[in-house]
Amino acid sequence: MSQPPRLSAATLDRLPSAIARPGYDRSTARAGIVHLGVGAFHRGHQAVFADDALARGEAGWAIVAASLRSPDTRDALAPQDGLYTFALRDRGSIEARVIGSILALVVAPEDPEALIAAIADPAIKLVTLTVTEKGYGIDRATGGLNRSDPAIQADLAPGAVPRTALGFLAAGIDRRRLAGAPPLTVISCDNLSKNGEILRTVLAEFASLKSEALGRYVMDEIAFPSSMVDRIVPASTEADRATIEALLGVQDAWPILAEPAFDWIIEDRFAGPRPPFEASGVRFVADVEPYEHMKLRLLNGAHTAIAAIGLLAGFATVPEAVADPSVGGFLNRYWDETEPTLSIEPEVSRAYRDALLPRFSNPDLPHRTSQIANDASLKVPQRLLAPLRERLERGESVDALVFAVAAWLRSCAGVSDAGVPFEIKDPALSAWAGRPSAALSPSAETEAFLGFEPVFGRDLPQHPRFVSELNQAVAEIADQGVLAAMKRRFG
């Protein structure tokens, strides 16, 4: 039996009439955005809004998408002329469309000049990033640039060919500066509190080390609005590819399946033209921080906790985990503790919170706990420990927050409660010289982890109440298993 053809410009007319396709002439679309880190989230979020804008006749907002490491996305989408399927799935329903906003795909290690030239192109107005927390070269002790990072050091060497996001941004911006091109707006779309301020700080420091004039230009001319992004976009599976092939009648090497819910909130501070994304539901606000905290603490913090709990309990996906009543009891207590730490209107946070459990339980989006658990040591400080510190200072209960930290700590051993090993993908944790052996007693394990300063800082290990409650929670999980310990604590 012959295989169906690949999705491409040549096969668009073979799609069923119910499948929406680019409602514009891609040959006349012009790139106005460079995106660094072209993964599933970008293609299920920002690229969709750009596709909407192009369909409304805003021809200058197409995307040059760059991979900073792997050629996988380019290899999948190049034979498809950059086209891919975007499908919304929600409890048995599926609504698919073909996205055409990515006009070019660059693999930076193969052709660094192509990425530098794209950023330097005067037609480019916006650079967006989804490079994960570890892609910013942050020194977590100071909040500035991690100058000891080997990749950062290599990019700072005279005449170096860039390999980091900061290196490419600095090289492209410098070329724009020298050519007199308009200044850029650079938007972080990663889950970092004050992500625009963080990016401005580290890039300005990096640029100053390359050239004092470049550093001043970055500080004075480039805009770094903070943003909050929100949509659950699990990694695509072979089953997803089969579903899309049956729906379209053509093969798509890398479709994107996502939930209907989404948000993108951006501070209204741009160096030049602002993308016309309001019609797609993007919101431009004066201050994004209240929204950032709400999403980081209610959704991302809960996700981090669920990932650790799921690994320990043997739950492969988030829907599996939240179907367990003990997990639901824990989540409600967790949200009871974190919601009062927010500075947003209570009715906004309550509506957001009330929507989370239905989003998490969507069986058509089996977000894997192992995927969410990646790089957890970079996420725990802002998602769990930041609200925990605030509640400790006010003398308030921290039972659920401490339990979430304890579950993460126990998961770092890479062994479930049933004794089944699992892989931990967390380079910062792996590189920690003081990482304890799994053979230690729970109390010794906890004491060792409190020495992990990039996570716990210097204050929490000296806080008697926190240390006591963490020791107790770790011991309960070790003795009873995570589900039984949660049931006893939270019902």
Side-chain angles (χ1 to χ4, degrees), residues 247-411:
L247 193 64
L248 271 62
V250 298
Q251 296 183 70
D252 185 342
W254 212 327
I256 295 298
L257 288 83
E259 64 170 343
F262 74 87
D263 223 337
W264 191 8
I265 300 175
I266 309 173
E267 285 180 344
D268 197 358
R269 295 188 292 108
F270 287 76
R274 193 178 81 178
F277 292 164
E278 298 97 323
S280 296
V282 176
R283 291 182 281 173
F284 296 94
V285 301
D287 182 10
V288 79
E289 187 173 8
Y291 300 93
E292 283 179 345
H293 282 180
M294 180 176 70
K295 195 248 181 171
L296 281 167
R297 297 183 180 189
L298 297 186
L299 186 150
N300 296 121
H303 254 175
T304 295
I306 291 168
I309 291 164
L311 291 174
L312 291 173
F315 295 130
T317 69
V318 172
E320 287 178 40
V322 299
D324 188 286
S326 62
V327 177
F330 159 77
L331 286 173
N332 280 317
R333 184 74 69 84
Y334 170 86
W335 287 324
D336 285 345
E337 290 181 3
T338 52
E339 194 176 358
T341 70
L342 305 177
S343 58
I344 205 163
E345 296 86 350
E347 60 271 19
V348 175
S349 63
R350 178 49 56 122
Y352 187 82
R353 167 183 171 168
D354 289 347
L356 287 177
L357 201 54
R359 291 174 66 185
F360 290 170
S361 62
N362 185 350
D364 291 340
L365 289 174
H367 208 172
R368 299 193 66 80
T369 52
S370 58
Q371 178 189 358
I372 299 169
N374 289 346
D375 297 314
S377 68
L378 303 180
K379 303 169 182 175
V380 166
Q382 59 178 336
R383 298 181 182 186
L384 302 178
L385 296 180
L388 186 148
R389 280 186 171 92
E390 293 175 20
R391 290 185 66 86
L392 283 175
E393 288 173 5
R394 298 197 291 259
E396 297 168 344
S397 65
V398 289
D399 293 352
L401 282 160
V402 166
F403 192 89
V405 176
W408 166 71
L409 190 156
R410 289 292 299 171
S411 74

Side-chain angles (χ1 to χ4, degrees), residues 5 31 79 102 106 112 122 128 170 187 265 308 319 328 338-339 347 355 402 415 426 442 465 478:
I102 297 178
V106 176
T128 55
I187 303 180
I265 300 175
T338 52
E339 194 176 358
E347 60 271 19
V402 166
V415 181
D426 190 336
R465 180 180 159 209

Side-chain angles (χ1 to χ4, degrees), residues 91 112 118 160 178 183 191 210 223 232 248 252 265 281 326 331 341 408 425 449 471 488:
R91 293 169 174 80
L178 295 173
N191 289 316
K210 299 289 282 187
I232 296 173
L248 271 62
D252 185 342
I265 300 175
S326 62
L331 286 173
T341 70
W408 166 71
K425 294 182 179 178
F449 261 91
N471 265 306
R488 287 176 63 88

Side-chain angles (χ1 to χ4, degrees), residues 140 150 375 377 424-436 452 454:
R140 288 189 284 167
D375 297 314
S377 68
I424 296 291
K425 294 182 179 178
D426 190 336
L429 176 67
S430 299
W432 175 38
R435 183 178 180 180
F452 195 4

